[in-house]
Amino acid sequence: MLSRSEIDVAVRRLAGELNRDYRGKNPLLIGILKGSFVFMADLVRQLDFPLEIDFARVSSYGRGRQTSGKVRVLFGPRCAVQGRDVIVVEDIVDTGLSVSHFIAYLAKRHPASLKLCALVDKPARRRVPVQIDYLGFTVPDKFLVGCGLDWDEKYRNLPDICALEDEE
Ligand code: PRP
């Protein structure tokens, strides 16, 4: 669905927006594991301001294709969030349940600012509103794998983002 070269172009564009907006700041980028690890690694190598990195684990899908609807923060960032300019880095916003839950979790910890950077948005399946401040792609309602995205923990290593075919 999205080739590695298309993803590279989008990552450079997003990095340009962040380099403009965070110049002279020292933001904390928090990647939501596991899916964001590839996007985070691609993105930070294009950023030219001082920054810190942390990760959190939010889970709602388990091993299947359907969200359980119950989101849990399995572990939060180790860095203090209070007073920091925080950028949440997500691979995909689908129903929005994971990231909206996590953003509410962070907001309670009083960051100076809180923005969301997502590689892929799938608005057709949205169940809660999510404001994506920095977005790579909007995609149709297909189950996607690659570039960190998995199905049953497989395919995260694919360099492209691919649509998984139906099982029938
Ligand atoms: C995936 C993805 C997002 C979330 C998006 O994570 O990485 O975090 O689902 O879906 P939503 O908008 O419907 O909540 P998942 O819980 O599958 O864990 P993973 O990152 O380890 O694959």
Side-chain angles (χ1 to χ4, degrees):
M1 182 158 287
L2 299 166
S3 70
R4 186 64 241 177
S5 58
E6 289 173 305
I7 296 166
D8 288 340
V9 168
V11 169
R12 279 198 294 276
R13 172 175 57 77
L14 291 171
E17 294 172 19
L18 292 165
N19 284 330
R20 178 196 66 207
D21 294 351
Y22 287 88
R23 194 170 163 201
K25 299 183 179 176
N26 177 28
L28 172 63
L29 279 72
I30 304 176
I32 303 184
L33 294 171
K34 301 177 194 175
S36 71
F37 79 104
V38 175
F39 177 43
M40 175 72 110
D42 288 341
L43 186 65
V44 295
R45 284 177 290 177
Q46 302 281 333
L47 299 178
D48 60 13
F49 48 80
L51 58 86
E52 292 174 33
I53 302 290
D54 207 336
F55 290 95
R57 184 100 166 91
V58 179
S59 193
S60 68
Y61 278 79
R63 295 172 68 85
R65 290 189 187 206
Q66 297 292 324
T67 178
S68 67
K70 287 185 194 154
V71 182
R72 290 185 300 152
V73 177
L74 300 180
F75 61 82
R78 300 292 163 113
C79 294
V81 161
Q82 185 166 359
R84 300 298 305 271
D85 293 307
V86 173
I87 306 168
V88 175
V89 178
E90 251 297 24
D91 49 339
I92 186 166
V93 181
D94 192 320
T95 64
L97 291 168
S98 301
V99 81
S100 66
H101 184 89
F102 186 60
I103 283 178
Y105 168 98
L106 289 178
K108 285 185 203 149
R109 287 155 176 80
H110 307 296
S113 66
L114 183 52
K115 301 285 184 185
L116 172 61
C117 178
L119 181 59
V120 173
D121 181 23
K122 199 196 285 179
R125 284 172 33 95
R126 193 73 91 255
R127 284 167 56 177
V128 290
V130 175
Q131 180 182 325
I132 304 176
D133 303 288
Y134 303 92
L135 174 64
F137 302 96
T138 300
V139 296
D141 187 10
K142 305 260 187 196
F143 195 97
L144 302 180
V145 296
C147 197
L149 292 157
D150 76 307
W151 174 72
D152 200 12
E153 297 300 328
K154 300 178 184 72
Y155 311 123
R156 293 191 197 272
N157 56 311
L158 296 179
D160 308 317
I161 292 180
C162 305
L164 202 65
E165 291 182 358
D166 288 334
E167 285 161 358
E168 293 95 338

